[in-house]
Amino acid sequence: VREAVVSTQSTGYGGTNRYFNKVVSKFGIEVSMVDPIDLEGFEAAIKPNTALVWLETPTNPTLKICDIKATVDMVERKFEGKKKPIIVVDNTFATPYFQRPLELGATMTISSVTKYINGHTDVVMGVISTRDEELAKQIQFLQLAVGPVPGPLDCYLALRGARTLHVRMKQHEKNSLAIGHWLENGEMSKYVTRVIHPGLPSHPQHELAKRQMRGFSGMISFVIDGGIAEATLFLQSLKVFALAESLGGYESLAELPSVMTHASVPANEREKLGISDSLIRLSVGIEEPEDLIADLAQAFSIVYSKK
């Protein structure tokens, strides 16, 4: 094995999971997947030939929080006096407005501009940020040599979106927290077995999230009573929320990860990760929170009208 990659993608974005396990692994590169909140297990997975440590926080769709600073400190301690692995943080869910991985010691941060940074669901783009000038030059060379260069219109649209990022993120946060509190305490809470939002005190890593992040995005997941039949009917009954895999736009979206974004993850792995057929992920938009809650309420009423 030439090099090794240690990734938190066991609980992360399905596309990254596919890339590491089905593409990178074919080039003689060993890939290890770890639980992002198990720092001891993380450390045990790092080997002398580890060249890249990939973090995603919050994770998709279970919204686990990886302690960036603690992970960076652990890697630096393990490689003291040696060449250190590149530490990358996928910051898509948090955005640069709410989380600054480079300030916590990460080598590089990536974000899907397609999502919150653009925020208008009309651009497909990504961004890489680093304070390492030599690494930046290498990335720029590869961009020019390989060809993933965005067009002028895409750049214009992304810049337009970035100018309102701070305004939109505040509303995303406000709306998702309002929905989270309603799912936990509202009239339909009896049909919800779990609510996952780092901004809620019920989240097991709420205190870490508050230390590491300046705020929270519109991402929230919850588990409803029942199985795939109830989840499917619930999603089909929504009127304001659109059924779609994307996230981070002005509009509210809902999806069922087990058959959509994470369908490529084997069923036994999904079960270990907590991605059940009744886990629903919401990307809460910037509409009026009362309208969004009313939409969820009427969907719950349709699903559980006979119970």
Side-chain angles (χ1 to χ4, degrees), residues 269-289:
E269 288 297 319
R270 290 199 305 268
E271 185 177 354
K272 293 178 185 177
L273 301 174
I275 305 174
S276 68
D277 288 337
S278 54
L279 175 75
I280 292 171
R281 190 196 75 181
L282 302 180
S283 173
V284 181
I286 59 174
E287 304 93 338
E288 288 298 317

Side-chain angles (χ1 to χ4, degrees), residues 284-302:
V284 181
I286 59 174
E287 304 93 338
E288 288 298 317
E290 294 82 4
D291 293 337
L292 298 175
I293 290 173
D295 190 34
L296 295 171
Q298 64 84 26
F300 273 114
S301 296
I302 292 172

Side-chain angles (χ1 to χ4, degrees), residues 17-83:
N17 190 307
R18 287 193 301 272
Y19 175 69
F20 279 143
N21 286 307
K22 298 185 179 180
V23 179
V24 170
S25 60
K26 293 183 178 181
F27 291 88
I29 298 174
E30 182 181 353
V31 178
S32 300
M33 297 289 183
V34 298
D35 187 331
I37 65 174
D38 179 10
L39 198 59
E40 291 184 2
F42 209 142
E43 183 170 3
I46 294 178
K47 303 171 183 177
N49 65 333
T50 297
L52 178 71
V53 174
W54 185 284
L55 314 178
E56 178 182 321
T57 183
T59 62
N60 178 13
T62 54
L63 299 168
K64 290 186 176 182
I65 305 297
C66 177
D67 191 327
I68 299 173
K69 183 67 167 60
T71 304
V72 168
D73 290 345
M74 176 268 291
V75 171
E76 291 185 346
R77 183 177 65 253
K78 200 171 180 72
F79 285 85
E80 186 175 1
K82 305 173 186 177
K83 184 178 179 180

Side-chain angles (χ1 to χ4, degrees), residues 202-253:
S202 58
H203 192 286
Q205 296 169 288
H206 177 61
E207 293 303 319
L208 170 59
K210 288 197 300 181
R211 291 197 308 271
Q212 184 165 281
M213 304 168 71
R214 296 175 57 232
F216 310 96
S217 68
M219 303 308 300
I220 182 170
S221 297
F222 63 97
V223 179
I224 65 170
D225 184 30
I228 194 165
E230 287 78 9
T232 300
L233 180 57
F234 180 86
L235 292 170
Q236 291 173 340
S237 301
L238 294 170
K239 297 178 180 179
V240 179
F241 283 84
L243 179 64
E245 290 192 358
S246 193
L247 62 100
Y250 61 87
E251 75 279 60
S252 291
L253 306 177

Side-chain angles (χ1 to χ4, degrees), residues 79-143:
F79 285 85
E80 186 175 1
K82 305 173 186 177
K83 184 178 179 180
K84 298 179 179 64
I86 294 172
I87 302 174
V88 182
V89 177
D90 184 338
N91 202 35
T92 297
F93 269 28
T95 80
Y97 183 70
F98 281 145
Q99 184 169 262
R100 307 287 179 86
L102 298 184
E103 294 179 0
L104 297 170
T107 316
M108 182 190 303
T109 180
I110 69 161
S111 289
S112 173
V113 176
T114 307
K115 311 304 194 296
Y116 283 111
I117 293 176
N118 175 58
H120 292 73
T121 323
D122 53 11
V123 164
V124 177
M125 191 187 297
V127 64
I128 300 173
S129 303
T130 182
R131 291 177 173 177
D132 186 322
E133 291 187 13
E134 184 58 36
L135 189 57
K137 290 178 182 178
Q138 294 177 35
I139 295 169
Q140 185 178 32
F141 170 78
L142 288 173
Q143 184 184 33

Side-chain angles (χ1 to χ4, degrees), residues 191 300-307:
Y191 303 123
F300 273 114
S301 296
I302 292 172
V303 175
Y304 300 106
S305 59
K306 297 180 181 180
K307 293 188 177 183

Side-chain angles (χ1 to χ4, degrees), residues 154-210:
D154 290 331
C155 293
Y156 164 77
L157 292 172
L159 285 170
R160 166 217 56 185
R163 291 185 179 105
T164 62
L165 177 65
H166 65 295
V167 178
R168 290 184 285 105
M169 293 312 296
K170 292 174 184 177
Q171 191 64 33
H172 284 300
E173 177 184 40
K174 175 184 175 182
N175 286 358
S176 66
L177 284 171
I179 287 174
H181 287 298
W182 178 79
L183 287 170
E184 286 189 332
N185 306 301
E187 68 272 20
M188 298 297 175
S189 61
K190 58 187 175 181
Y191 303 123
V192 179
T193 60
R194 187 184 179 198
V195 181
I196 312 169
H197 189 302
L200 294 174
S202 58
H203 192 286
Q205 296 169 288
H206 177 61
E207 293 303 319
L208 170 59
K210 288 197 300 181

